[in-house]
């Protein structure tokens, strides 16, 4: 398999080589950083919800950072859904930064300057997209 030229895609490819499932790591970071989020997930079946939510978010990130075929629109539609759940915009945006932080930790020394720059740009673009809603 050839490595992607897109630094965001490449970061996820490298993470996938090292970590079978980012879900527990991402949510551990989320709950450590924002303990109030623990109560946002029901106890029964929450692992499936978390996994599904993360998979959809990663799909949207990859599309937003890449071809923009439409999957990235999930970000804007989920802003409204999460508003209805009572999730602050700041927390909504923070989830993307937590994913980046988790990928960075999984990559360790392979987190390069170009990956870092791409993630910083992406997080800023997502913040702008959410703010425009």
């Amino acid at each position: 398999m050839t490595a992607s030229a897109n630094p965001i895609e490449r970061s996820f490819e490298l993470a996938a080589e090292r970590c079978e499932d980012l879900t527990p790591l991402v949510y551990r970071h989320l709950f450590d950083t924002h303990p109030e989020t623990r109560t946002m997930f029901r106890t029964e079946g929450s692992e499936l919800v978390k996994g599904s939510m993360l998979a959809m978010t990663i799909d949207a990130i990859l599309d937003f950072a890449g071809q923009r075929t439409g999957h990235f629109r999930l970000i804007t539609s989920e802003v409204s859904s999460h508003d209805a759940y009572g999730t602050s915009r700041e927390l909504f945006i923070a989830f993307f930064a937590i994913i980046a932080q988790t990928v960075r930790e999984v990559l360790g020394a392979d987190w390069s300057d170009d990956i870092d720059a791409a993630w910083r740009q992406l997080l800023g673009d997502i913040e702008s997209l959410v703010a425009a809603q």
Side-chain angles (χ1 to χ4, degrees):
M1 172 164 65
T2 352
S4 172
N6 179 309
I8 302 294
E9 288 178 11
R10 193 167 61 253
S11 71
F12 280 114
E13 289 169 357
L14 291 168
E17 291 172 5
R18 294 168 170 89
C19 180
E20 186 175 313
D21 185 5
L22 289 174
T23 307
L25 301 175
V26 167
Y27 283 92
R28 185 174 336 124
H29 281 295
L30 177 66
F31 296 153
D32 287 349
T33 311
H34 300 278
E36 73 278 13
T37 60
R38 283 187 193 280
T39 60
M40 294 177 169
F41 294 90
R42 63 178 193 251
T43 23
E44 287 294 313
S46 70
E47 296 309 311
L48 290 173
V49 171
K50 290 177 202 171
S52 175
M53 187 172 126
L54 181 59
M56 289 189 306
T57 304
I58 291 172
D59 190 39
I61 287 170
L62 290 170
D63 189 50
F64 192 66
Q67 298 293 317
R68 295 202 180 179
T69 59
H71 295 279
F72 77 93
R73 290 189 179 98
L74 176 76
I75 297 168
T76 55
S77 67
E78 286 300 315
V79 169
S80 299
S81 296
H82 283 74
D83 282 348
Y85 299 144
T87 303
S88 71
R89 296 279 173 102
E90 294 77 19
L91 181 56
F92 184 85
I93 293 166
F95 188 65
F96 294 92
I98 287 167
I99 293 169
Q101 175 189 358
T102 304
V103 171
R104 182 181 190 140
E105 289 176 9
V106 169
L107 266 55
D110 288 327
W111 180 270
S112 62
D113 290 343
D114 67 321
I115 290 173
D116 189 66
W119 270 103
R120 287 181 191 277
Q121 178 69 48
L122 178 81
L123 293 173
D125 291 349
I126 289 171
E127 188 170 351
S128 296
L129 182 70
V130 170
Q133 292 296 300

